[in-house]
Amino acid sequence: MERRNTMQKALTYETVMSYNGHPSADDIYRIIASEHSSISKATVYRNLSLLSEEGKIGRIEAFGNGEVHYDHRIDRHHHGYCRSCGRVVDIELSDDNDFLGMATPVEDGFVITSGEIIFEGICRECREKEKKNGTERIKN
Amino acid sequence: MERRNTMQKALTYETVMSYNGHPSADDIYRIIASEHSSISKATVYRNLSLLSEEGKIGRIEAFGNGEVHYDHRIDRHHHGYCRSCGRVVDIELSDDNDFLGMATPVEDGFVITSGEIIFEGICRECREKEKKNGTERIKN
DNA sequence: GTGGCTGCAAAATGTTTGCACGGAT
DNA sequence: ATCCGTGCAAACATTTTGCAGCCAC
């Protein structure tokens, strides 16, 4: 299957690459649509999938909120999210090769090929907000 | 807010605890409904959320497929999923305290409180299937 | 000219929510 | 007698898909 270069695909790529952070598919769509209102959401979704399959952009699926996030970085690194506001941050591991070797599947015969760590934490802004309120958690 | 004990909640708890694996909310619902057809899906979802908030069952949010999985284990461990069939397996880390200390947030001021590793791999069955077909991937 | 890509709308999926009622406390 | 938890249906959010026409090759 031959692959074509279209305006929409180029735009999708450029928007991810110039985004400072970890946008959701909808973030990217809204940015593009604000300049090119005729683009379709389905096209953005399709192109984001294609681009991440081609390895040109990163894809982060692991945040529970049900949203997929994309990433202009494609080098090896990990991610954390703020338990209060949900923002996603990059996290580096000082010794990134080791933790795969330390892993033992409980189920016999399962072969590990890769792994990524999802950290939870709290960002500076939310920490200061919580300190001000004197509350650790608002929940319940 | 006072919390009541209901038949539905007890059933939800017992079904998770006796499930050998990592069921989705819908898995649990279908099992209960096969015996007690009048239970509502919303109730099962609500009770699964409650139980995991109370720390009585585990919750795994990080599998990209958009489904939340539950876990009868609540001790510290990690998970892997088969890239071919999606099955979830338990994975132990030989030195589970270390990797948090090796992590460095790129964004200034972000404080890490916990982390879980999502491994990708391939289970025995799928490995043998792929060998038989002589194909590494069917995709594209 | 061909067929992959697009836009649109509808469908699919997994989960949450509003509301009236019944049951646990 | 409260008022929390339930069942039901509708709403929600994100993503995928079917299809006719268009445009990059």
Side-chain angles (χ1 to χ4, degrees):
Chain A
M1 152 169 119
E2 175 207 351
R3 205 151 266 185
R4 296 182 183 176
N5 284 325
T6 60
M7 194 58 167
Q8 289 89 336
K9 188 171 183 186
L11 264 173
T12 305
Y13 177 68
E14 280 157 25
T15 306
V16 172
M17 293 313 274
S18 63
Y19 194 103
N20 182 27
H22 304 79
S24 67
D26 201 61
D27 289 335
I28 297 300
Y29 166 70
R30 287 201 314 275
I31 291 171
I32 300 178
S34 73
E35 293 266 307
H36 304 78
S37 56
S38 69
I39 200 170
S40 162
K41 186 175 278 202
T43 298
V44 174
Y45 274 78
R46 278 185 284 233
N47 280 323
L48 287 169
S49 282
L50 281 175
L51 287 164
S52 63
E53 268 178 37
E54 293 167 10
K56 299 208 181 99
I57 63 176
R59 181 187 180 96
I60 323 169
E61 311 202 321
F63 286 111
N65 52 1
E67 270 187 355
V68 176
H69 291 255
Y70 291 91
D71 194 341
H72 60 89
R73 280 183 67 176
I74 53 174
D75 62 315
R76 178 154 186 69
H77 64 291
H78 302 276
H79 295 99
Y81 65 95
C82 175
R83 69 156 184 268
S84 180
C85 69
R87 113 189 304 166
V88 179
V89 304
D90 288 328
I91 293 187
E92 314 272 6
L93 225 55
S94 59
D95 192 357
D96 206 331
N97 299 311
D98 263 26
F99 82 95
L100 279 184
M102 306 188 334
T104 311
V106 171
E107 179 173 318
D108 215 55
F110 188 91
V111 178
I112 294 172
T113 53
S114 67
E116 96 160 283
I117 310 182
I118 303 301
F119 292 94
E120 186 180 318
I122 182 157
C123 68
R124 190 214 301 280
E125 288 76 13
C126 290
R127 205 147 29 85
E128 285 168 358
K129 231 175 278 171
E130 286 190 2
K131 216 179 291 171
K132 215 179 292 171
N133 295 347
T135 337
E136 280 301 297
R137 285 185 179 242
I138 321 280
K139 272 198 162 180
N140 285 353
Chain B
M1 156 168 117
E2 175 204 351
R3 204 152 269 183
R4 295 182 183 176
N5 283 327
T6 60
M7 194 57 167
Q8 290 87 338
K9 187 171 183 185
L11 264 173
T12 305
Y13 177 68
E14 281 156 26
T15 306
V16 172
M17 293 313 273
S18 63
Y19 193 105
N20 181 27
H22 303 79
S24 66
D26 201 62
D27 289 335
I28 297 300
Y29 167 69
R30 287 201 314 275
I31 291 172
I32 300 177
S34 71
E35 294 266 307
H36 305 77
S37 57
S38 69
I39 200 172
S40 161
K41 186 175 279 201
T43 299
V44 174
Y45 274 78
R46 277 185 284 234
N47 279 324
L48 287 169
S49 282
L50 281 175
L51 288 164
S52 64
E53 267 178 38
E54 294 166 9
K56 300 208 180 97
I57 62 176
R59 180 188 182 95
I60 323 169
E61 310 202 322
F63 286 112
N65 53 0
E67 271 187 355
V68 176
H69 291 255
Y70 293 90
D71 195 340
H72 60 90
R73 281 183 65 176
I74 54 176
D75 62 314
R76 178 155 186 70
H77 64 290
H78 301 276
H79 296 99
Y81 65 95
C82 174
R83 69 156 185 269
S84 179
C85 69
R87 114 186 306 164
V88 178
V89 304
D90 288 328
I91 293 186
E92 313 272 8
L93 224 55
S94 59
D95 191 357
D96 206 331
N97 299 311
D98 263 25
F99 81 95
L100 279 184
M102 306 188 333
T104 311
V106 171
E107 179 174 318
D108 214 54
F110 188 91
V111 178
I112 293 172
T113 52
S114 67
E116 97 161 282
I117 312 183
I118 304 300
F119 293 94
E120 186 181 317
I122 181 157
C123 69
R124 191 215 299 282
E125 287 77 13
C126 289
R127 207 147 29 85
E128 285 169 358
K129 230 176 278 172
E130 287 190 0
K131 218 180 289 172
K132 215 179 293 171
N133 295 347
T135 338
E136 280 301 296
R137 286 187 178 237
I138 321 280
K139 272 199 162 181
N140 283 353

